[in-house]
Amino acid sequence: MLTDHAMTELRGLVQRAHALGTVGELLGWDEQVNLPPGAAEQRAAQHAVLAEAHHAAASAPRIGELLRELEQRKDRLSSDQGAIVADARRDYDRTTRLPAEFVREKAAQGSRGYHAWARAKAADDFGNYAPVLEKNIELARREAAYLGFGHAPYDYLLDRHDPGLNAAAVDRLFGELKRDLVPLVRRITGSPAAGRARAAAARLRGFPSEAQRTFLREVTARLGFDYSRGRIDVSLHPFCSGTGSDVRMTTRYQEDQPLDALFSSIHETGHGLYEQGLPAADLGTALGLHAGMAMHESQSRLWENQVARSRGFWRFFEPRWRELFGAQMHGVSSEELYFAINAVEPTLIRVDADEVTYNLHIVLRFELEKKLFAGELAVRALPAAWRAASRALIGLEPSNDREGVLQDVHWSDGAFGYFPSYCLGNMIAAQLWSHVRLQRPAWEEDFARGDFAWLLGWLRENIHAQGRRHSALELVRRVTGEELSPRHLVRYLDERYGQLYEV
């Protein structure tokens, strides 16, 4: 193992660059939580300056010199050191190919794009947002070209979020999933029990926001989120940012949809637990970074769905729920509550979708993104294309763009290629869950006692502590002993919902 100053200096430089990146995340969090409306343009300028500083630190010539020196002596590197060097090389090569002025322009555009999207969504005005989206696509294409992906920009965008991933691989996995999922959705939504579930969900009305806040804070803390190293606030679109000892989550409250804030908060908690579980001393290096957004989404979806929609979870938390919401729950039985929690009903809004139909929303976005970057779909034609795809895949057509093409924040700052991570995350979560249940047969009884620490400990050891030593797909193979497959997700959905809906 190499122990000389070169490795120490490299670690210091990449960790410094990473620290600057986390300041940018904090600016982004504040922008969506606290920023005064009149400060949007000033914040765009701040993002631009910071992005330029981060780019300069990450592309410092000294990093390149150290990488060349260490690569010449790679036979003396430990496996962990080799992972650090390989990851730093990938980041350095990509960073140095991007002009500083482009980085500055893209950061400012991302900030302006967020505010343009928020205005457009509020006004249901896609026309004024379209030029912003066109600019974002142009920037994404330019970035891909700088990095040698001019012939396949969408492959680059997928790879940026999940190293090693490309459109062909996603096509194959999504194709297999659609083949088995669509018939399952039809059986469940056609079941007489589906009506009972919808009726139960409709009875959950008038839940005070402050009591919701109390409940979800207790739940997320019980799951393991460390509030001495994180916080939760309110934003237009729930998200999680930050890392290590400063993790920021957001949610939103609706008194007539109390499960929305709860499950979105548990979802973001999964992200937060992953970030809090990464090795603190190695933050910024391959040993202390997450393994890609599909793995990140697997952590959030596992806690949100496999855990928080289980009977064991609610056997533990239902008494406290009824204590806080006694009047609202009057006459609602435990079985009706469980049906409401696991109600399956196609919806136009992705973040409101149940876990059975959710993946169809992701397939919709993936297929539209592919067409956008293949030049087969113009931005101005997106609303009509969205409506047609929604009708074909989900069985519903939006009556306005607010519940169609304007519903998600992701494209506003150029996060193209991110959406597939959600569905891949569902596949990974189900495959991890299938594996971990074999090791813990009494998992539901553990949940009923409020014991979630064993699951968090398993994830800490097998996922979080691994950092970015491996890609998400390779880490899945190492942990579960098989390649990623959608069959675990379909089987899990069939087991839980097939039994509940008697299909």
Side-chain angles (χ1 to χ4, degrees):
M1 181 177 71
L2 191 65
T3 59
D4 67 12
H5 71 279
M7 179 59 69
T8 301
E9 187 178 357
L10 177 66
R11 284 178 60 105
L13 289 173
V14 298
Q15 288 184 307
R16 179 177 182 275
H18 177 262
L20 284 168
T22 63
V23 177
E25 289 183 358
L26 186 57
L27 278 180
W29 168 85
D30 178 76
E31 186 167 19
Q32 296 193 44
V33 174
N34 295 318
L35 192 73
E41 194 57 35
Q42 181 174 330
R43 180 53 50 90
Q46 292 168 336
H47 275 297
V49 170
L50 186 61
E52 193 171 32
H54 175 254
H55 179 264
S59 61
R62 182 58 179 159
I63 294 178
E65 294 170 3
L66 291 166
L67 286 171
R68 286 190 294 273
E69 179 182 341
L70 290 165
E71 287 164 345
Q72 288 171 0
R73 296 181 284 166
K74 62 182 180 181
D75 57 321
R76 296 174 56 194
L77 300 178
S78 69
S79 60
D80 281 355
Q81 290 174 332
I84 291 173
V85 170
D87 190 65
R89 167 57 74 187
R90 171 189 164 91
D91 287 349
Y92 183 75
D93 285 351
R94 290 195 167 184
T95 302
T96 54
R97 291 176 184 172
L98 294 177
E101 183 53 40
F102 171 81
V103 172
R104 181 186 180 94
E105 179 185 6
K106 185 184 176 192
Q109 174 66 16
S111 178
R112 295 188 185 106
Y114 166 74
H115 296 285
W117 165 78
R119 291 191 300 270
K121 184 176 182 180
D124 189 28
D125 183 4
F126 181 79
N128 279 332
Y129 176 61
V132 175
L133 190 50
E134 289 169 343
K135 179 66 174 178
N136 288 350
I137 292 173
E138 177 214 329
L139 290 171
R141 287 184 178 280
R142 284 168 55 192
E143 182 174 342
Y146 282 131
L147 296 171
F149 284 83
H151 63 293
Y154 194 56
D155 279 350
Y156 164 69
L157 296 167
L158 291 168
D159 179 86
R160 187 179 62 171
H161 297 297
D162 286 293
L165 199 64
N166 58 39
V170 178
D171 258 331
R172 178 181 59 79
L173 288 166
F174 282 14
E176 292 178 22
L177 179 64
K178 280 174 63 177
R179 181 193 64 207
D180 296 329
L181 180 60
V182 170
L184 177 61
V185 169
R186 289 173 181 160
R187 293 203 312 272
I188 292 172
T189 55
S191 164
R196 297 203 303 272
R198 289 193 292 270
R203 296 182 65 184
L204 303 184
R205 296 288 183 267
F207 286 64
S209 296
E210 198 53 44
Q212 289 188 49
R213 190 189 313 271
T214 297
F215 184 74
L216 70 82
R217 171 84 179 221
E218 292 176 6
V219 168
T220 54
R222 184 79 186 198
L223 296 180
F225 187 77
D226 182 356
Y227 277 98
S228 72
R229 298 192 294 144
R231 56 183 291 140
I232 189 165
D233 294 273
V234 174
S235 68
L236 180 61
H237 193 99
F239 68 94
C240 177
S241 68
T243 191
S245 59
D246 188 5
V247 177
R248 310 292 179 99
M249 306 189 298
T250 70
T251 190
R252 59 190 179 190
Y253 297 97
Q254 301 177 73
E255 295 200 348
D256 288 341
Q257 295 186 45
L259 298 176
D260 178 66
L262 175 62
F263 282 102
S264 69
S265 298
I266 295 172
H267 177 99
E268 302 308 336
T269 295
H271 286 304
L273 292 173
Y274 192 1
E275 291 294 338
Q276 290 183 341
L278 293 169
D282 296 310
L283 289 180
T285 76
L287 308 185
L289 294 171
H290 62 79
M293 292 315 303
M295 185 58 73
H296 228 307
E297 291 299 338
S298 79
Q299 301 305 284
S300 59
R301 301 294 284 179
L302 191 152
W303 288 102
E304 176 190 3
N305 293 324
Q306 277 83 357
V307 175
R309 297 185 192 276
S310 70
R311 289 189 182 275
F313 179 95
W314 283 96
R315 280 165 56 192
F316 180 76
F317 282 111
E318 185 180 347
R320 178 58 172 155
W321 174 268
R322 289 185 179 277
E323 181 182 344
L324 288 168
F325 305 111
Q328 293 79 9
M329 291 299 294
H330 180 72
V332 179
S333 69
S334 295
E335 190 65 13
E336 287 173 319
L337 174 61
Y338 189 67
F339 257 112
I341 289 162
N342 291 285
V344 176
E345 181 177 17
T347 177
L348 291 164
I349 307 301
R350 175 185 64 86
V351 295
D352 293 339
D354 57 83
E355 65 171 328
V356 179
T357 61
Y358 181 91
N359 298 289
L360 300 178
H361 289 263
I362 302 306
V363 172
L364 181 155
R365 288 151 177 79
F366 168 66
E367 293 180 348
L368 290 179
E369 284 187 337
K370 278 196 308 176
K371 291 178 180 178
L372 281 171
F373 283 93
E376 300 170 2
L377 177 65
V379 167
R380 301 284 174 168
L382 257 177
W386 188 291
R387 289 193 293 271
S390 180
R391 184 172 60 249
L393 278 169
I394 300 167
L396 300 172
E397 182 174 331
S399 60
N400 57 62
D401 291 334
R402 187 186 295 114
E403 59 187 19
V405 70
L406 286 173
Q407 67 179 270
D408 291 305
V409 68
H410 302 63
W411 291 346
S412 71
D413 68 349
F416 304 105
Y418 186 104
F419 281 119
S421 300
Y422 290 112
C423 186
L424 295 170
N426 281 337
M427 293 183 195
I428 294 172
Q431 193 156 324
L432 293 176
W433 185 240
S434 177
H435 183 74
V436 78
R437 283 193 308 170
L438 296 176
Q439 302 178 33
R440 194 85 173 194
W443 62 272
E444 192 136 34
E445 292 303 316
D446 292 329
F447 288 176
R449 293 192 300 271
D451 181 4
F452 306 97
W454 66 268
L455 178 58
L456 180 58
W458 188 89
L459 292 170
R460 287 273 194 259
E461 177 183 354
N462 291 279
I463 305 298
H464 306 176
Q466 302 307 312
R468 193 177 289 175
R469 289 175 174 85
H470 314 288
S471 70
L473 297 183
E474 173 62 16
L475 186 53
V476 169
R477 189 188 66 78
R478 286 172 174 264
V479 173
T480 68
E482 58 181 303
E483 302 295 335
L484 180 63
S485 168
R487 70 175 179 274
H488 292 280
L489 176 58
V490 174
R491 184 172 63 193
Y492 154 73
L493 293 173
D494 197 9
E495 287 177 355
R496 173 169 288 178
Y497 293 90
Q499 180 181 34
L500 186 62
Y501 285 78
E502 301 174 352
V503 296

